[in-house]
Amino acid sequence: MPVAGVDVGSVAAKAVILDEISLTPLGAAVLPTGWNPREAGEKALAAASADAGNVAPRFVAATGYGRVSLPFADKVVTEISCHAAGAVHLFPETGVVLDIGGQDSKVISTDPDGSVQDFLMNDKCAAGTGRFLQVLSGILDMDLPALGEAAAHGKPAAISSMCAVFAETEIIGLLARGVPPADVAAGVFLSIARRMRSLASRIPMRGQCTFTGGLAMSPAFRNLLAAELGVPVNVPPQPQLAGALGAALLAARISRK
Amino acid sequence: MPFKSLETFNTVTDRNVLALQEAKAAGRKVVGQYCIYSPLEIALAAGAIPVSLCGTKNDSIAIAESMLPRSLCPLVKSSFGFALQDSCPYLAASDIVVADATCDGKKKMYELLNDYKPVVLLQLPQIQNEDAALYWRGQFAGLVARLEKEFSVSISREKLLDAVRLTNRLRRALKGVLDLARRKPSPLSGMDILSLCFRASFMPDYEQCIALLDDIAREIANAASAEAQTECPRILLTGVPTGMGSHKVVQLLETCGARVVCIDNCTCYKKVLLQMDETRDPLSELADRYLATHCSVMSPNPHRYEVLEALARDFQVDAVVDLTWQGCQTYDVESWSVKKFVREKLSLPFLQIVTDYSETDTEQLKVRIEAFLEMLA
């Protein structure tokens, strides 16, 4: 029987359908969240069900910041437990999960069974999250691949601000002083990677490191993060789906009982 | 909450402001106090009513920020805001404020507060040894002299001993209630505990307070254990002071499915640890006991760990949550050592929460708290 995980984040709504016994992926979908998390969750689930060949999941677990707004969810779980479960399923040697989402970043220490041993999250401020890159993307008028391309070749400009709002002012100041956009992009990438490193340094590093969330889609950023951490970093083929996959795995576990 | 004695307590304490104003109209002096290090007994021995002052609401922070830096801790800002907008009836009723130089933010704020109310600032040492206790006794002797002069009274050794006997009874009564939560499942919620301690701290009539607390302890102790409900994870909350208005983390923990069974802070359980030896010189005993309070301003702060270990055992907790107000440097730094101690020595899960009084981070806190509880399951 198919089961589903739905992850409604601040930027994207994701859904994954699994077979509850074999845990084989049957379908998946990613859609922009927009202003209505409930509708986005419904649409993502419908799209993933269609992708799986019009199946009706018998159990749905919801996660992400929109998790409580989904009336069809049989179980609500935090994204921390879901990213842990998803990452350990994809890379069984995982001991630490790094997740950078739209509005927060997390470092999660995991057990071999995919459960959470400890975790840390960024503070209220959005610096060091996907939101920070959205700001940069707006100022430089480049999308994530273009930003990555630019950052890979730029000489990182120093970005001192710890706050996404002040960083925007700082970025505009750098551009006004004639600093090339590629150097600004490289500077922002480096500042996010360093914030992640400092968050990760508060959790003991053991096992492999797996990187999930939307920002992991940027090859330039994951290379930089691996270099900053000084360890190789696993990245799933669809890092954005790791949370929804984790939710689907937990749905399968509950549904089988 | 079905307990009749608790309802009576709430009805009586709803009248705290009125009761204080009546006592004042009848000629009693009122001594406002902010911090647990400021002794209740000296005010009592002076014939005055020591009462807590407001500092747990978010509403008063905006006006405080017209003078204080935004990055200061919400407790200091809230306390000062109440004075600026004259919205704390207990401060309004106070003839004098007794404060102590607990942390940098507070002591500098008290300098400003002095323009609104006379403040006696006790210089709190930040180490717990004999020299410090002697110095602290000197500060208490200074307070005795000041209150004698202010209120034209004489504070004898006998009066101090009477006060010590009274506060010992009060603290035993409060302990009797708080220790009910040792039971599994606990008959009291964390919100009950917080509200009860908060309300008691504004109560002018100590004898009445003792009687009401004893009634609560008696009724709940004799009540049959709650029907076999599924036991929630039992949380020991440690760290900064909390009260009504700054209760959000206790409330969030409980709405997310945990039970806060003990609150190790100055507004709750730390109070009941202040049991005085009634046979010693009262000023020396007061100085020693108050100085032993395990606030993070003390360096080193060994009692924090001893108390955590004892409370974790006595209340059979499943996890420890350390609450830090944003801008409170000493609790924030100490959290690292507390985490290490809780994990390694107590073998318990640990979560630190850094926040302020506002509601702006509720959703993020929920993620953190829910994930922590999922981790315990």
Side-chain angles (χ1 to χ4, degrees):
Chain A
M1 289 292 282
V3 292
V6 181
D7 175 6
V8 181
S10 62
V11 176
K14 291 82 65 174
V16 167
I17 313 273
L18 289 182
D19 179 82
E20 73 172 11
I21 306 296
S22 68
L23 304 181
T24 317
L26 303 175
V30 180
L31 295 169
T33 300
W35 60 272
N36 187 339
R38 174 182 167 164
E39 202 179 285
E42 277 169 357
K43 282 187 175 165
L45 180 61
S49 303
D51 185 41
N54 287 320
V55 299
R58 75 171 223 172
F59 195 96
V60 181
T63 190
Y65 99 96
R67 65 193 181 285
V68 288
S69 52
L70 306 179
F72 52 82
D74 301 296
K75 171 84 184 166
V76 172
V77 198
T78 63
E79 51 269 42
I80 292 170
S81 299
C82 290
H83 276 275
V88 172
H89 178 74
L90 293 165
F91 298 99
E93 302 296 312
T94 298
V96 174
V97 181
L98 307 171
D99 169 53
I100 304 186
Q103 62 178 7
D104 52 38
S105 43
K106 316 168 190 82
V107 178
I108 310 161
S109 169
T110 55
D111 282 332
D113 67 353
S115 59
V116 178
Q117 203 180 57
D118 191 14
F119 65 93
L120 287 171
M121 260 171 95
N122 66 313
D123 290 328
K124 215 188 310 192
C125 144
T129 70
R131 174 74 200 136
F132 200 12
L133 278 189
Q134 278 186 323
V135 168
L136 180 69
S137 163
I139 299 172
L140 297 183
D141 196 21
M142 293 182 203
D143 58 9
L144 185 62
L147 277 180
E149 187 61 29
H153 296 103
K155 188 169 139 289
I159 307 276
S160 57
S161 188
M162 301 294 269
C163 159
V165 178
F166 287 124
E168 180 169 2
T169 322
E170 208 175 325
I171 290 166
I172 291 169
L174 288 169
L175 293 171
R177 288 209 322 258
V179 176
D183 293 5
V184 173
V188 170
F189 270 50
L190 190 63
S191 91
I192 299 177
R194 291 209 167 139
R195 274 187 75 98
M196 214 50 200
R197 184 186 68 185
S198 99
L199 200 58
S201 68
R202 297 177 76 93
I203 287 231
M205 273 286 163
R206 45 177 192 82
Q208 293 178 5
C209 204
T210 299
F211 181 27
T212 63
L215 205 49
M217 291 190 294
S218 165
F221 185 77
R222 57 198 195 219
N223 291 340
L224 188 62
L225 184 64
E228 279 300 314
L229 293 169
V231 293
V233 169
N234 300 322
V235 178
Q238 289 174 292
Q240 247 185 321
L241 288 177
L245 171 66
L249 289 165
L250 298 173
R253 194 179 299 167
I254 298 167
S255 170
R256 282 198 308 266
K257 270 184 195 164
Chain B
M1 183 46 63
F3 299 112
K4 200 163 166 284
S5 55
L6 210 51
E7 277 166 25
T8 309
F9 176 82
N10 287 342
T11 312
V12 174
T13 49
D14 276 344
R15 287 187 75 260
N16 275 344
V17 174
L18 220 57
L20 186 66
Q21 285 163 352
E22 284 165 8
K24 203 170 155 67
R28 293 288 297 277
K29 297 291 182 188
V30 177
V31 175
Q33 306 197 156
Y34 282 107
C35 196
I36 194 173
Y37 285 108
S38 300
L40 303 171
E41 291 79 359
I42 295 176
L44 286 169
I49 301 170
V51 68
S52 279
L53 298 175
C54 316
T56 57
K57 303 256 193 303
N58 197 45
D59 318 347
S60 62
I61 288 184
I63 189 167
E65 286 176 350
S66 65
M67 286 176 71
L68 299 176
R70 289 195 64 195
S71 57
L72 211 58
C73 107
L75 191 151
V76 177
K77 287 190 289 191
S78 173
S79 306
F80 189 62
F82 271 109
L84 278 187
Q85 61 191 18
D86 195 16
S87 56
C88 173
Y90 305 100
L91 183 63
S94 297
D95 295 282
I96 197 166
V97 169
V98 175
D100 53 81
T102 331
C103 63
D104 292 350
K106 278 190 184 173
K107 72 184 179 200
K108 299 310 282 186
M109 181 272 277
Y110 294 141
E111 289 176 16
L112 302 175
L113 187 70
N114 205 31
D115 288 344
Y116 302 84
K117 273 283 168 186
V119 177
V120 186
L121 186 70
L122 306 171
Q123 294 294 334
L124 177 72
Q126 313 223 316
I127 187 166
Q128 294 151 324
N129 62 20
E130 272 179 43
D131 286 352
L134 204 61
Y135 178 83
W136 191 225
R137 188 189 185 282
Q139 294 291 307
F140 283 7
L143 177 62
V144 168
R146 174 76 186 265
L147 292 188
E148 283 182 326
K149 190 164 150 256
E150 290 283 339
F151 301 153
S152 310
V153 291
S154 97
I155 299 177
S156 63
R157 185 189 144 92
E158 224 15 77
K159 283 181 183 165
L160 278 170
L161 277 174
D162 284 343
V164 163
R165 288 185 204 107
L166 178 62
T167 57
N168 268 351
R169 285 172 51 228
L170 177 68
R171 286 170 183 137
R172 273 199 297 272
L174 185 60
K175 186 171 189 297
V177 174
L178 298 184
D179 283 349
L180 293 167
R182 293 182 182 204
R183 230 158 63 185
K184 281 180 106 170
S186 163
L188 295 171
S189 71
M191 282 304 291
D192 289 334
I193 293 170
L194 184 128
S195 157
L196 197 133
C197 291
F198 184 72
R199 285 166 171 269
S201 72
F202 296 106
M203 211 170 157
D205 185 339
Y206 280 38
E207 287 292 354
Q208 190 185 22
C209 189
I210 294 168
L212 291 172
L213 291 171
D214 284 346
D215 286 344
I216 296 172
R218 205 173 306 118
E219 184 190 348
I220 299 182
N222 292 333
S225 253
E227 66 278 12
Q229 62 192 78
T230 42
E231 173 80 303
C232 313
R234 297 166 65 87
I235 305 290
L236 167 59
L237 183 73
T238 181
V240 293
T242 47
M244 295 312 292
S246 61
H247 59 277
K248 71 174 183 186
V249 170
V250 177
Q251 195 170 44
L252 278 174
L253 278 163
E254 298 199 321
T255 50
C256 291
R259 190 83 155 170
V260 176
V261 291
C262 182
I263 306 180
D264 167 40
N265 68 18
C266 310
T267 37
C268 297
Y269 211 82
K270 275 187 197 173
K271 283 182 180 168
V272 306
L273 300 176
L274 286 165
Q275 280 291 322
M276 310 292 163
D277 180 345
E278 296 171 8
T279 63
R280 282 187 69 205
D281 161 53
L283 273 194
S284 301
E285 176 64 10
L286 288 172
D288 289 356
R289 290 270 65 75
Y290 276 102
L291 187 63
T293 299
H294 54 285
C295 176
S296 61
V297 295
M298 292 297 160
S299 179
N301 189 19
H303 300 316
R304 177 105 191 256
Y305 307 94
E306 294 161 17
V307 170
L308 278 173
E309 185 162 15
L311 294 179
R313 181 192 60 227
D314 296 344
F315 285 84
Q316 302 178 64
V317 305
D318 299 305
V320 176
V321 174
D322 188 20
L323 176 61
T324 307
W325 296 132
Q326 260 163 22
C328 178
Q329 294 169 327
T330 53
Y331 270 110
D332 205 358
V333 174
E334 194 165 276
S335 190
W336 178 263
S337 314
V338 171
K339 175 179 181 167
K340 205 163 140 54
F341 178 79
V342 169
R343 289 265 178 78
E344 290 170 13
K345 292 277 164 39
L346 307 184
S347 303
L348 288 172
F350 173 92
L351 178 71
Q352 185 200 12
I353 291 178
V354 184
T355 184
D356 58 14
Y357 289 1
S358 74
E359 302 284 326
T360 54
D361 58 351
T362 304
E363 287 309 311
Q364 272 153 314
L365 289 182
K366 262 191 187 162
V367 171
R368 244 170 254 211
I369 290 169
E370 283 177 19
F372 185 63
L373 298 177
E374 284 166 7
M375 205 174 100
L376 299 180

